[in-house]
Amino acid sequence: MGKYNTEEEALQNYDSKKYRTPDGYTSDIAIFTIISEDMAPYKPPNKILKLMLIQRAQTNAEGELNIEGGKWALPGGFINENETAYEAAVRELQEETGVEGLKIKHFGTYDKPGRDKRGWIISNAHYAIVQESKLAKRKAADDAAKVELFDLHEVEKLKLAFDHEDIINDAIWNIKKDMALTTIAKDFLPKEFVLSELRGVLSTVLDEPWLKIESQFYRKAPSLPFIDKVTLNGELKKTNKYSKKEAQLYQFNDYQPFVSIYNANY
């Protein structure tokens, strides 16, 4: 029998100082968007995946040298003891970039020894892919000197703080999963669209072979279960907005993708 007979007695004699605790607990947020870039006449807009990053200020609020100052990083910061990691992510996103009202998702915890020069600091990572209009009011504040949108090729050339390159790569994997398993693409398309517009959005995130080869895409796309041909007064509705030859218009239907491991063919 131990020294204590009740849980209350055990708690009264519990000594947390016996255990090493982290030096900090943070949240980081990867926010992606898909922007449109006008091309030549009869060409659909070019779609580009971009990531919002902040440039860490050279000094902190107290005027002291900021760790990893001048480097680019995901928005984020330390979690207060009276809030969850998710609540801290929402707060830090607003404080550093002015962006609010986003539905973010948690996707990982980062605790590799040495990931932060300041000590043993654990970070919770969150992500979202949103319409560019939701980032229109972005403005650097708090510990951020700048806030910018970068395409992924530009991100590769930046000096990133801490282990944010790893976090970003994992976040990209998660938005690929979202694009492949959900109908999130409709958030970046007009209500009625041609197949080339759909291909442009999907291609910003996915690298599936059938997307890269035009002939394969246009053969497969009309049978996708989540889109329907648009009709008007019983006739197929078409447009020549992006081509000299009229193209069929499509729209998303109410189909909800469902993937089960039990449906796989082994």
Side-chain angles (χ1 to χ4, degrees):
M1 186 69 179
K3 291 191 294 183
Y4 312 118
N5 297 318
T6 66
E7 184 177 88
E8 184 178 6
E9 287 182 16
L11 287 172
Q12 288 174 348
N13 289 276
Y14 177 78
D15 183 8
S16 62
K17 294 179 181 179
K18 290 169 56 179
Y19 304 97
R20 174 77 166 90
T21 57
D23 301 310
Y25 185 42
T26 64
S27 276
D28 292 305
I29 316 99
I31 302 297
F32 297 87
T33 189
I34 297 175
I35 67 167
S36 297
E37 187 179 73
D38 289 334
M39 302 295 285
Y42 298 111
K43 291 285 187 180
N46 186 35
K47 301 290 187 178
I48 305 171
L49 180 68
K50 294 210 170 188
L51 171 66
M52 185 172 69
L53 295 174
I54 63 164
Q55 187 177 39
R56 288 175 62 80
Q58 294 289 354
T59 57
N60 60 24
E62 291 75 34
E64 299 296 335
L65 189 68
N66 208 11
I67 305 302
E68 304 272 27
K71 291 186 178 180
W72 291 91
L74 297 168
F78 287 91
I79 301 167
N80 296 326
E81 63 178 346
N82 62 345
E83 63 184 354
T84 65
Y86 181 89
E87 291 167 342
V90 171
R91 174 181 55 76
E92 287 288 347
L93 186 62
Q94 193 281 326
E95 289 179 356
E96 292 192 338
T97 70
V99 174
E100 55 188 346
L102 304 186
K103 292 183 179 179
I104 60 176
K105 300 178 185 178
H106 179 271
F107 71 88
T109 301
Y110 293 80
D111 57 2
K112 184 178 179 179
R115 64 171 298 272
D116 193 311
K117 298 175 184 177
R118 295 169 293 188
W120 181 17
I121 295 179
I122 298 173
S123 184
N124 285 271
H126 305 75
Y127 80 104
I129 179 167
V130 301
Q131 295 167 324
E132 186 183 9
S133 60
K134 294 186 177 181
L135 306 180
K137 295 182 179 180
R138 63 185 181 276
K139 182 179 180 181
D142 199 28
D143 290 332
K146 295 180 182 178
V147 56
E148 303 285 351
L149 295 177
F150 296 96
D151 68 43
L152 299 188
H153 294 297
E154 293 171 325
V155 172
E156 291 175 356
K157 300 174 183 178
L158 297 175
K159 289 185 177 180
L160 298 174
F162 310 114
D163 59 349
H164 287 197
E165 180 180 355
D166 294 334
I167 299 176
I168 290 168
N169 288 336
D170 291 345
I172 292 170
W173 185 89
N174 276 277
I175 62 169
K176 283 184 176 182
K177 182 177 66 174
D178 283 354
M179 190 66 78
L181 301 181
T182 74
T183 55
I184 195 173
K186 68 181 177 183
D187 292 342
F188 305 96
L189 288 165
K191 183 177 180 181
E192 297 178 355
F193 54 88
V194 295
L195 291 179
S196 58
E197 291 179 282
L198 174 62
R199 182 173 180 244
V201 170
L202 296 177
S203 297
T204 62
V205 176
L206 301 177
D207 52 7
E208 303 290 336
W210 69 276
L211 277 174
K212 295 179 180 179
I213 302 173
E214 284 192 32
S215 59
Q216 288 189 16
F217 172 78
Y218 288 112
R219 183 169 63 250
K220 179 176 180 177
S223 62
L224 292 171
F226 51 84
I227 60 173
D228 293 327
K229 293 179 178 179
V230 179
T231 60
L232 180 64
N233 299 323
E235 300 289 332
L236 293 174
K237 189 176 179 181
K238 300 183 178 183
T239 180
N240 60 1
K241 183 177 180 180
Y242 297 127
S243 62
K244 294 181 180 180
K245 183 180 178 180
E246 286 192 329
Q248 176 64 46
L249 284 166
Y250 289 81
Q251 62 187 2
F252 279 85
N253 55 38
D254 295 329
Y255 178 83
Q256 293 296 320
F258 178 76
V259 178
S260 171
I261 60 171
Y262 300 105
N263 290 335
N265 293 318
Y266 295 104

